[in-house]
Amino acid sequence: MKKNAQNAGIDEVNFNDSAFKVRLKRNLEILSNVLANPTTVLGLIIVILMLAMAIFAPVITEPNTPDPYQMPRDWKAARSAPLTPGHILGTTNRGGDVFYGVVWGARTSLKLSILVVTLTVVLGVIIGSVAGIVGGKVDEILMRIVDVFLSIPELIFALAIAAILGPSFTNIILALVIVFWVKYARIMRAQVIRIKQREYVDAAKIMGASKLQIYLKDILPNSFSPVMVQATLDMGNIVLVGATLSFIGLSEAGIAEWGVLVSEGQAGISAGRWWASTFPGLMVFLWALAFNLVGDGLRDVLDPRTETKR
Amino acid sequence: MSNSKNTILSLRNVKKHFPIKEGVFQNVVGQVHAVDGVSFDIGAGETVGLVGESGCGKTTIGRCVSGLEPLTDGDIFFDLTPEKLVALEDFEKHQSEIKNKYLIDEIQSTSNISKIEGDDFYNYRRNCQMVFQDSFSSLSPRQLVSDIVSRPLKIHKVCADNELIPRTIELLEQVGLGKQHLYRFPHQFSGGQRQRISIARALALDPKLIVLDEPTSALDVSVQAQILNLLHDLQKQRGLSYLFITHNLSVIRHMADKIVVMYLGKVVEAGKTEDIFANPQHPYTKALLAASPDLSEDVMSDMAALDGPIPDPARPPQGCSFRTRCPVSRTECGWEVDDIIRRLEHHETLIDSIKSVHQPDAFNAKLTFETSFSAIELKDAIGTNDIPKQMRKAIKKIEVDGNDVNISFDPVQTVPLVQSDNGSLSRCVLANK
């Protein structure tokens, strides 16, 4: 069925087509291939809902003043169960509204994951590209450094760095960047080495393209899809690891962050106050699940083995 | 060769060695002699076919010519007038007495592609393009045909932006495609069509020379013929020169004016196509021709098909490099100690008991065994028919001294390329007589 759709695509191209239209058509084709998988669609729906929640957080709940990322405290309603007026998901021991935490926690998570993924992708792509293109001793040295980073389990490594830097949200971001860039460097290096041996790179050299042009037009676009898949998966993983770090108290107390909320609520679980931990925990689970589903779907479509057939 | 035409490309003793690197510090542990002293000329409008087995260095030559690989040694000259070629040959023969010094200087600074830089080299890029074997790999999967074919025009700023598309369509029409193919991705084409796109891209800058690196070997036979005819027509229309690299002898017979046969990085035979096909001089060429399935000719039926491995190009044989596989090898082919060691590799008990090899040069060695019995066994083994008779005869001295065996051969120079009866050049001791 997939094949038919692609073949139909060829015949539809006619004299009036422009480069822009053809590119758009191909991107839509890729998108329709992604959407052909129901689990990916499920993941995508959850991702969109999460993003909507993060973006419209000030509309959904009144932002806390002066810092909306800080939990509002309602000491009178402390420890109230779900579905009480004003606190539909209940409150924590310290009177924080769980619903507010869930909604604004999405914002915190989005901020965390986008910042960390952007920084790690940029860092990893630069270092991986340098290693792959320059090769030789530079490659050996950079890859041995990467090996050192990879030899330590990522959670423990992030924990150690965050602990050294001291508890704060910024330090969690920093710790995650230090831990996560190595994967991208590895992936990018492998891709660059694979792509730079392609004959179209030789052809570009022969026609006199500059090294920068070859990198930007031939090597980078053709080696980026595995990085994109990994980045999507990491959008979920980073929130998971970040929540873990917050849970063990490496974040600032009192901020609207899912890990912090789970941590605050855990003391009450044995006393029957399940809500303060469960709802933020569920959010972490859904967030990580959704991005993993989307990442898997992207990987199926952007798989390098099917690349030439597309 | 006619003297009125320019020589588009002249390779002079071109060498390309690749270092073998090992370990964390990338130490150089050896050199692969991919191309080892190759010389030939390509005239304007001429097709030179470069043939040989895989691994003989023919693709490396293509990459050197197109400027992808820097040369280890030697020169490649581009677009020499007849006077310049004569001056250059004169200069090479009598290094000391330079007659046309200014002309030589001019050649070196403007035509030697391994020395020119900057704008001159940029100019050379316009004049030498390449078509690759694998059309899947030679076209970027993320670029449209319009981008691929117009890219050289953009890089060299050949025409204004609004002329790009008409020029691209023109190029596509020249290779039998049309404007309906402009906005498509390479994966939407068949192998033959993709190769046409590659050719259109190569033609974009209106080059004088195109390096064709096995352009048809990935295609099926009917499409091969179409592409070959297209290349033929384009050559007639534009006066192109081709360096046609292939292992397919029937293709080369159809296309080439001259043939250069390579073996282990060296030219073993070079000459006009009809001469080489009618009367091959070198045993390797004979074997290649015999190996190609051709029912009409059984002249070479007495030639056995080639067997045995190609020697390691990191340690190419001295003397004649083909002698290890040659069916008509002679005593004077340049046998050396490595040949004995190659034979020993089939003899497990002997190779296991060998303790050390002291080899001052290629023709003398002292092999030390663990027991004197093995040493005697080696001498006996060399005496048997396991060893080619010609090689046995070439051994000057073989002595057993306790656990040691001293072996020496007559040293032999590298066999030179010499003119043979049919006018072609051949590198064989038989042709020297």
Side-chain angles (χ1 to χ4, degrees):
Chain A
M1 203 192 86
K2 226 188 233 176
K3 208 160 191 186
N4 282 341
Q6 280 177 359
N7 287 338
I10 308 172
D11 297 329
E12 283 161 26
V13 179
N14 58 42
F15 294 95
N16 300 324
D17 269 322
S18 68
F20 173 75
K21 265 199 222 165
V22 177
R23 284 184 192 286
L24 186 72
K25 192 176 278 172
R26 198 183 76 140
N27 287 336
L28 289 176
E29 230 167 63
I30 294 172
L31 188 67
S32 74
N33 285 345
V34 173
L35 295 180
N37 185 350
T39 52
T40 314
V41 176
L42 177 71
L44 210 59
I45 290 171
I46 303 175
V47 165
I48 289 167
L49 287 177
M50 290 282 189
L51 294 185
M53 194 160 79
I55 292 161
F56 297 113
V59 182
I60 300 167
T61 60
E62 177 119 344
N64 188 18
T65 47
D67 180 6
Y69 289 99
Q70 218 59 52
M71 290 286 283
R73 298 290 179 199
D74 181 0
W75 293 107
K76 280 178 275 174
R79 298 183 184 184
S80 47
L83 294 175
T84 45
H87 304 288
I88 51 166
L89 294 181
T91 60
T92 65
N93 286 353
R94 301 164 69 184
D97 181 29
V98 176
F99 182 67
Y100 187 92
V102 163
V103 172
W104 282 83
R107 246 192 186 209
T108 319
S109 299
L110 188 67
K111 201 166 84 174
L112 176 76
S113 50
I114 284 183
L115 261 173
V116 174
V117 166
T118 314
L119 288 174
T120 50
V121 166
V122 170
L123 202 65
V125 164
I126 290 173
I127 291 173
S129 300
V130 169
I133 288 170
V134 179
K137 283 176 187 167
V138 176
D139 180 30
E140 283 286 336
I141 292 166
L142 285 174
M143 283 307 110
R144 294 300 79 81
I145 295 172
V146 165
D147 283 349
V148 170
F149 276 74
L150 279 174
S151 64
I152 310 165
E154 58 185 37
L155 181 63
I156 294 174
F157 193 22
L159 201 108
I161 295 166
I164 293 166
L165 295 174
S168 96
F169 189 64
T170 330
N171 289 346
I172 288 186
I173 293 177
L174 210 61
L176 291 176
V177 170
I178 294 170
V179 173
F180 276 86
W181 69 270
V182 280
K183 263 194 265 177
Y184 296 100
R186 259 278 150 101
I187 295 170
M188 198 59 196
R189 171 183 173 269
Q191 282 294 102
V192 166
I193 288 176
R194 196 172 71 93
I195 300 295
K196 79 170 180 181
Q197 289 164 348
R198 290 289 162 93
E199 283 168 349
Y200 53 78
V201 174
D202 285 339
K205 279 184 202 161
I206 291 173
M207 63 178 85
S210 70
K211 280 180 181 158
L212 186 69
Q213 263 178 340
I214 291 173
Y215 177 69
L216 292 178
K217 277 196 87 169
D218 297 287
I219 295 179
L220 198 59
N222 285 305
S223 49
F224 203 68
S225 40
V227 172
M228 214 164 81
V229 171
Q230 186 61 43
T232 315
L233 294 171
D234 275 350
M235 283 291 285
N237 295 343
I238 280 162
V239 168
L240 203 61
V241 179
T244 313
L245 296 183
S246 302
F247 175 79
I248 47 186
L250 290 170
S251 187
E252 293 145 47
I255 68 164
E257 209 275 338
W258 295 333
V260 175
L261 286 178
V262 175
S263 161
E264 273 185 25
Q266 65 159 343
I269 293 177
S270 52
R273 295 190 297 277
W274 53 272
W275 54 87
S277 285
T278 308
F279 294 112
L282 199 64
M283 294 307 286
V284 174
F285 164 72
L286 281 178
W287 180 284
L289 175 76
F291 277 102
N292 273 289
L293 290 179
V294 174
D296 279 345
L298 274 184
R299 176 156 54 199
D300 289 345
V301 173
L302 300 179
D303 192 292
R305 274 167 300 176
T306 58
E307 189 175 63
T308 44
K309 287 180 197 136
R310 263 194 352 269
Chain B
M1 195 205 324
S2 77
N3 281 327
S4 56
K5 277 191 270 179
N6 279 10
T7 302
I8 286 298
L9 201 74
S10 178
L11 278 76
R12 301 272 149 158
N13 198 24
V14 169
K15 287 184 183 164
K16 178 69 197 175
H17 298 174
F18 292 103
I20 308 166
K21 289 179 183 168
E22 254 175 29
V24 182
F25 300 107
Q26 303 279 297
N27 298 323
V28 176
V29 294
Q31 299 279 343
V32 174
H33 298 236
V35 177
D36 213 6
V38 168
S39 307
F40 62 86
D41 292 344
I42 305 176
E46 204 174 46
T47 303
V48 171
L50 200 54
V51 280
E53 283 168 293
S54 37
C56 73
K58 55 191 197 298
T59 297
T60 309
I61 287 197
R63 293 176 63 85
C64 286
V65 166
S66 56
L68 287 173
E69 302 279 0
L71 303 183
T72 308
D73 194 17
D75 300 295
I76 298 177
F77 296 101
F78 180 71
D79 207 8
L80 296 173
T81 57
E83 303 87 69
K84 282 183 180 172
L85 189 68
V86 169
L88 200 65
E89 276 169 354
D90 204 41
F91 173 66
E92 277 168 5
K93 271 182 206 146
H94 329 275
Q95 292 267 359
S96 50
E97 35 179 307
I98 304 167
K99 287 179 206 158
N100 301 319
K101 186 163 189 330
Y102 80 97
L103 197 56
I104 297 293
D105 285 345
E106 192 193 318
I107 294 167
Q108 287 289 358
S109 62
T110 58
S111 307
N112 189 344
I113 67 150
S114 45
K115 296 221 172 86
I116 55 173
E117 286 168 341
D119 285 350
D120 286 334
F121 193 67
Y122 205 59
N123 186 38
Y124 176 69
R125 290 283 194 219
R126 291 187 61 157
N127 279 307
C128 174
Q129 290 291 306
M130 191 160 174
V131 174
F132 296 91
Q133 173 180 7
D134 181 0
S135 58
F136 258 122
S137 171
S138 64
L139 303 172
S140 173
R142 266 157 233 268
Q143 288 177 6
L144 294 168
V145 172
S146 60
D147 297 331
I148 291 170
V149 178
S150 67
R151 192 165 170 200
L153 300 172
K154 272 188 223 161
I155 290 172
H156 289 266
K157 301 186 182 68
V158 174
C159 56
D161 278 358
N162 57 353
E163 281 174 36
L164 270 178
I165 293 301
R167 279 291 290 271
T168 308
I169 293 170
E170 214 174 280
L171 285 164
L172 286 175
E173 278 165 356
Q174 282 183 7
V175 297
L177 298 169
K179 62 176 171 181
Q180 70 272 26
H181 300 109
L182 207 50
Y183 299 117
R184 291 194 191 175
F185 287 101
H187 65 87
Q188 293 172 315
F189 292 91
S190 67
Q193 285 175 315
R194 276 200 303 273
Q195 208 54 288
R196 284 170 194 269
I197 297 168
S198 291
I199 294 168
R201 172 175 66 186
L203 290 175
L205 294 170
D206 208 7
K208 289 181 177 161
L209 171 72
I210 298 184
V211 178
L212 303 161
D213 187 2
E214 312 219 12
T216 58
S217 45
L219 306 172
D220 54 62
V221 180
S222 60
V223 183
Q224 273 190 21
Q226 290 172 16
I227 297 290
L228 292 177
N229 288 337
L230 171 70
L231 289 169
H232 223 111
D233 294 345
L234 288 168
Q235 184 170 38
K236 266 190 208 156
Q237 287 162 22
R238 295 171 164 246
L240 288 165
S241 302
Y242 291 143
L243 174 59
F244 201 108
I245 299 165
T246 186
H247 56 257
N248 188 333
L249 287 165
S250 50
V251 167
I252 216 79
R253 189 173 199 172
H254 180 70
M255 291 295 292
D257 302 311
K258 290 198 294 190
I259 293 183
V260 176
V261 183
M262 280 185 71
Y263 182 76
L264 266 184
K266 287 197 171 80
V267 175
V268 294
E269 186 160 4
K272 289 195 180 119
T273 306
E274 54 263 42
D275 294 343
I276 285 183
F277 273 90
N279 186 13
Q281 293 296 310
H282 196 278
Y284 179 64
T285 318
K286 287 180 188 170
L288 276 187
L289 289 173
S292 73
D294 193 344
L295 296 172
S296 62
E297 275 174 62
D298 51 2
V299 185
M300 266 71 77
S301 55
D302 57 325
M303 293 289 302
L306 287 177
D307 59 352
I310 303 177
D312 181 4
R315 291 186 74 175
Q318 306 283 314
C320 172
S321 52
F322 183 57
R323 61 157 198 279
T324 57
R325 301 165 74 198
C326 186
V328 292
S329 58
R330 293 300 191 92
T331 317
E332 62 268 34
C333 284
W335 300 95
E336 56 181 324
V337 179
D338 275 5
D339 289 307
I340 288 186
I341 293 171
R342 277 184 206 111
R343 292 280 159 180
L344 273 182
E345 278 164 12
H346 304 297
H347 216 300
E348 274 178 33
T349 49
L350 275 180
I351 198 87
D352 285 346
S353 66
I354 206 160
K355 242 163 75 183
S356 72
V357 178
H358 175 66
Q359 200 175 355
D361 62 55
F363 301 102
N364 298 291
K366 186 162 94 175
L367 279 68
T368 308
F369 287 92
E370 276 165 1
T371 62
S372 56
F373 178 72
S374 300
I376 293 163
E377 201 185 346
L378 171 73
K379 195 186 172 186
D380 289 349
I382 288 170
T384 64
N385 282 334
D386 290 355
I387 305 282
K389 201 171 91 190
Q390 305 304 341
M391 180 175 154
R392 243 184 300 148
K393 278 191 192 167
I395 298 172
K396 197 166 75 177
K397 189 182 81 179
I398 178 158
E399 286 173 356
V400 178
D401 178 15
N403 294 357
D404 302 341
V405 182
N406 291 311
I407 303 171
S408 63
F409 287 88
D410 277 324
V412 175
Q413 295 296 311
T414 303
V415 182
L417 266 179
V418 291
Q419 194 96 24
S420 56
D421 310 337
N422 66 354
S424 60
L425 295 167
S426 155
R427 192 190 291 276
C428 181
V429 288
L430 293 172
N432 284 4
K433 289 176 178 165

